[in-house]
Amino acid sequence: MLGLAADRLRADMNRLLSFLFHQGILDEQFLQLQQLQDETSPNFVSEVVNIYFHESEKLLRNLRSLLMDREFSDYNKMGIHLNQFMGSSSSIGAKRIRNVCLAFRAASDQNNRAGCLSALEVLEHEYCFLKNKLHELFQIQQQRVLAAGVRYPMQH
Amino acid sequence: MTVEQIVSEGKDQFPIGMRVLAVDDDPTCLLLLGTLLRRCQYHVTTTSQAKTALKMLRENKNKFDLVISDVHMPDMDGFKLLEHVGLEMDLPVIMLSANGDTKLVMKGITHGACDYLLKPVRIEELQNIWQHVVRRKKKDRCNSGSKDKPHPDSGEAAGIGNVDNNGKLNKKRKDQNEDEDDERDENGHDNEDPSAQKKPRVVWSVELHRKFVAAVNQLGIDKAVPKKILELMNVEKLTRENVASHLQKFRLYLKRISCVANQQANMAAALGTADSAYLRMGSLNGLGNFHTLAGSDQLHNAAFRSFPPSGVLGRLNTPAGLGIRGLPSPGTIQLGHVQNSGNPTNDLSKLQSFVPGNHNTNILQGMPMSLELDRLQHNKNVGHIGELPTTDSMTVFPGSGNLVDARITGFSNNQLLGVTSNSLMLEGSSQQATSHTSVSAIGFQNGNALSDFTSIAPASNQLQDSKAGSQGQASPINCNAGQIIRSAPQEWNAPRKDAPYQSHASINSSIPINGAMIQLGQCLDRNNSIFHRTTDLDSVGPLNFVDPLSIKHSEGDNSIMEPSVIEKEGYLMFQPRPHGSHVPDNIGSLEDLASAMMKQEGGCNGYSLRTSI
């Protein structure tokens, strides 16, 4: 029974991961993150990703408040936030988010505020989606850990 | 662990344990970077504040081997940090950014970065960064060791450059210095007990620098000689050599500023846009920036030091010696004195020791030849200037008639990087087998006639002719701080109020063009995208590289006197396209380029190659 749960969990995890890769939401950079996780840093991926979430939310909020400001004109400042968001997103392998950032940057380079706004909306949407999926992934992993710790009653 | 230790001990496990300082304000990236670096078995220190990083570096100069820094940071611009580190500590610095825009990458080069990585950083890229440490040390060692007949000033300058090096280098310098005793006006320092080799590195603090600048201003930039400056400054424990090397850097810095300002003005005029990045460069705050320039004692012989930023020359892996007389010794784009006494082969071998950069991107290693890379840079897709071939027959240079293949060493970034200071943007291609590919001297810009050199067409190796350009036409090539851009033809040195600086034209003329043809063909990677892209890069103006080497070197005697030369050296100058002299954008071959250059002759005012080594 419990063994089956572990298998099921692993299957769920793989399915989710392959979905994310297949849809282009994550790319091989995420794999690199996973490879960096080992016995010495067993929670590396979730640590990095949580930092990423924390920072990204700040950045997205900043971007939104800049753009919503009626007197917005400082594209440079926005560019800095955007650049950071893009850097961290690409570092964790959030491919789709990074691509939207590219479009956002292009709009910003042309001082196209409307374009920036719509890019921001897509960005927020993508970010939420990614966050949900990654949370799901971490949950599965946690459950796996728990499941692995459970012993069969029959074992001696 | 210094290179010296590495070399002498032989039992260290370099690159394992290499000490890296990582700086990035983004915590996600910083954590990731730190972990990746540890995975490569380096010894890593991370910080999110540039100021903290500088403080750590200043506390103990020998604590780190390499610095990796993000470009955009809130407390200090990454480029500023880069300059500081380069000048004060002369450590290799790798830039990191999510933005791989050509302009930024170029800015990195001009400020002296030895590489520019794009985020997301992969572990493969980090596994090779140790090469920058080795390369730099090797270059330094070569520099100090390769001076056969340094000119009085050059010798000194070279020596000064190494004054704070570890013992080995000091010792070499001392030996060389002893040879030049008669030429030196101040021997006390040189004749010191040879065993007292290790000199404490002088940190040019803001105060010290202020005194220095005051002294220089008092004497007048033309008349400012280290001895007098030293006297005026009246700081104990400061040696004439320290002052001399600082002076070199200062001159380069001033030159760079003017060049940059000029270039920017040109570009802005031409393009009708004000590129804030470039303008910023131009408006570097004198003290502050210079200070950074002054930091590195290792900048070699003066003149070159950097092509625009003083750090650049030092940092870029320039092939070591340019054989050309007066060409800086290998490994650095230094225009300064020719360390090799004009023996090209020496230099070549030194050059050859340059290890090409990592995978994709290459930094041009500047051979002093000035090449005009037309449009190269603009194209972001330009893969990079070919991998530099490990072989080297690069001969740079003009005077000697050796052909150098400029190598572009690399940035691991794929973006095309600008030219290195010495303006040779040569793509090292593995082809460089032929020893004599002629390198076309590129672009010399004369005060009035800017010769445009379009990028050298990849296909041909044909630069065979040394005649191109070389002859004296060195017109000063604009130093392009930022990029290779087509700019309106203008006197690039227009704003210079400083006379000596303006004479680049003259200096440039001494560019060894004669014969120094840069073998673009060789350098160019035949397959290389960069050159193939020339046609794509319409927006990029002809880049004229001045061969700094040629320019200056001749002068050992003048090294101090001709700041313009100095600056030129090693500068990658991008010349604005002169109105009249039109070099077709799509110069198909080096020959065309050469002939275009030839047409420009006449600007030289009879400055014949002054490579009077």
Side-chain angles (χ1 to χ4, degrees), chain B residues 296-426:
Chain B
S296 167
D297 284 322
Q298 298 214 343
L299 289 180
H300 325 265
N301 306 318
F304 297 71
R305 275 302 161 119
S306 26
F307 134 131
S310 59
V312 173
L313 282 180
R315 264 48 85 87
L316 288 179
N317 293 317
T318 52
L322 294 178
I324 302 178
R325 300 183 276 187
L327 286 181
S329 58
T332 44
I333 304 184
Q334 287 190 343
L335 292 177
H337 325 274
V338 150
Q339 309 215 319
N340 294 317
S341 42
N343 179 353
T345 50
N346 267 350
D347 295 327
L348 279 183
S349 53
K350 295 203 175 118
L351 288 177
Q352 300 188 345
S353 56
F354 231 178
V355 176
N358 284 331
H359 5 260
N360 314 317
T361 52
N362 296 321
I363 298 181
L364 290 178
Q365 299 261 342
M367 291 297 230
M369 309 290 259
S370 48
L371 286 181
E372 174 179 61
L373 290 182
D374 197 5
R375 326 186 190 126
L376 274 182
Q377 314 283 332
H378 260 268
N379 190 340
K380 268 196 197 176
N381 298 326
V382 173
H384 49 242
I385 306 192
E387 307 284 342
L388 287 179
T390 42
T391 62
D392 332 315
S393 33
M394 297 222 266
T395 34
V396 162
F397 196 44
S400 54
N402 292 329
L403 301 175
V404 179
D405 292 333
R407 294 213 255 162
I408 297 181
T409 49
F411 277 4
S412 44
N413 186 337
N414 277 329
Q415 313 249 345
L416 177 62
L417 302 193
V419 288
T420 54
S421 47
N422 285 329
S423 58
L424 271 194
M425 265 228 277
L426 296 179

Side-chain angles (χ1 to χ4, degrees), chain A residues 32 35-36 38 44 83 88 90, chain B residues 26 32 35 39 72 120 123:
Chain A
Q32 192 156 111
Q35 280 166 9
L36 287 175
D38 59 9
F44 179 69
N83 193 56
S88 53
S90 56
Chain B
D26 180 356
L32 181 62
T35 311
R39 190 51 73 90
H72 302 280
I123 199 167

Side-chain angles (χ1 to χ4, degrees), chain A residues 88-153:
Chain A
S88 53
S89 303
S90 56
S91 297
I92 65 153
K95 181 160 109 172
R96 237 200 238 176
I97 288 181
R98 181 180 165 270
N99 290 341
V100 179
C101 287
L102 275 174
F104 193 144
R105 184 192 275 168
S108 170
D109 288 343
Q110 292 156 13
N111 288 6
N112 175 359
R113 187 169 167 188
C116 290
L117 260 173
S118 62
L120 179 61
E121 277 167 14
V122 176
L123 212 52
E124 286 165 341
H125 171 78
E126 287 292 336
Y127 171 77
C128 286
F129 184 76
L130 177 70
K131 184 171 177 180
N132 288 339
K133 289 297 169 202
L134 287 178
H135 273 319
E136 201 181 311
L137 186 68
F138 294 146
Q139 264 178 347
I140 297 176
Q141 284 175 342
Q142 270 175 350
Q143 286 172 359
R144 282 186 78 200
V145 169
L146 288 174
V150 177
R151 295 275 173 266
Y152 286 99

Side-chain angles (χ1 to χ4, degrees), chain B residues 398-585:
Chain B
S400 54
N402 292 329
L403 301 175
V404 179
D405 292 333
R407 294 213 255 162
I408 297 181
T409 49
F411 277 4
S412 44
N413 186 337
N414 277 329
Q415 313 249 345
L416 177 62
L417 302 193
V419 288
T420 54
S421 47
N422 285 329
S423 58
L424 271 194
M425 265 228 277
L426 296 179
E427 280 191 0
S429 66
S430 31
Q431 311 149 333
Q432 25 186 203
T434 52
S435 42
H436 79 206
T437 39
S438 48
V439 172
S440 48
I442 302 190
F444 293 75
Q445 173 183 55
N446 179 331
N448 316 322
L450 296 179
S451 39
D452 258 0
F453 291 100
T454 52
S455 52
I456 300 191
S460 52
N461 273 353
Q462 320 173 281
L463 294 178
Q464 277 35 25
D465 268 339
S466 33
K467 55 178 171 179
S470 20
Q471 319 334 31
Q473 1 177 322
S475 6
I477 300 223
N478 264 343
C479 46
N480 175 13
Q483 61 195 64
I484 300 176
I485 285 189
R486 191 184 300 235
S487 46
Q490 292 179 21
E491 299 280 334
W492 54 284
N493 51 3
R496 245 42 236 303
K497 35 188 173 181
D498 198 342
Y501 290 97
Q502 269 176 343
S503 51
H504 9 266
S506 53
I507 298 189
N508 287 328
S509 54
S510 54
I511 292 182
I513 310 195
N514 57 336
M517 299 297 274
I518 294 178
Q519 177 173 28
L520 288 178
Q522 291 195 343
C523 302
L524 299 180
D525 181 354
R526 303 245 170 104
N527 315 319
N528 186 347
S529 47
I530 291 182
F531 286 92
H532 291 299
R533 303 215 187 156
T534 52
T535 49
D536 297 340
L537 301 171
D538 286 325
S539 52
V540 179
L543 296 175
N544 296 325
F545 290 84
V546 173
D547 177 354
L549 292 179
S550 52
I551 300 182
K552 197 150 144 182
H553 298 302
S554 32
E555 355 327 64
D557 25 317
N558 305 339
S559 51
I560 304 252
M561 299 336 284
E562 297 185 279
S564 53
V565 171
I566 292 180
E567 292 150 8
K568 289 285 196 115
E569 298 181 320
Y571 264 87
L572 197 64
M573 310 247 208
F574 292 92
Q575 264 184 7
R577 189 174 272 214
H579 284 297
S581 60
H582 188 79
V583 174
D585 284 356

Side-chain angles (χ1 to χ4, degrees), chain B residues 224-278:
Chain B
V225 284
K227 190 167 186 187
K228 296 201 183 126
I229 297 174
L230 187 64
E231 286 165 11
L232 278 177
M233 283 176 69
N234 192 21
V235 170
E236 57 176 41
K237 294 205 186 163
L238 192 65
T239 68
R240 182 181 162 286
E241 282 146 354
N242 297 141
V243 173
S245 73
H246 195 72
L247 180 64
Q248 280 176 344
K249 291 174 195 162
F250 187 60
R251 287 211 171 105
L252 282 175
Y253 164 71
L254 289 178
K255 188 78 180 163
R256 169 163 71 96
I257 304 253
S258 85
C259 257
V260 169
N262 225 345
Q263 186 69 22
Q264 288 177 3
N266 289 346
M267 282 167 12
L271 305 176
T273 54
D275 184 320
S276 60
Y278 290 103

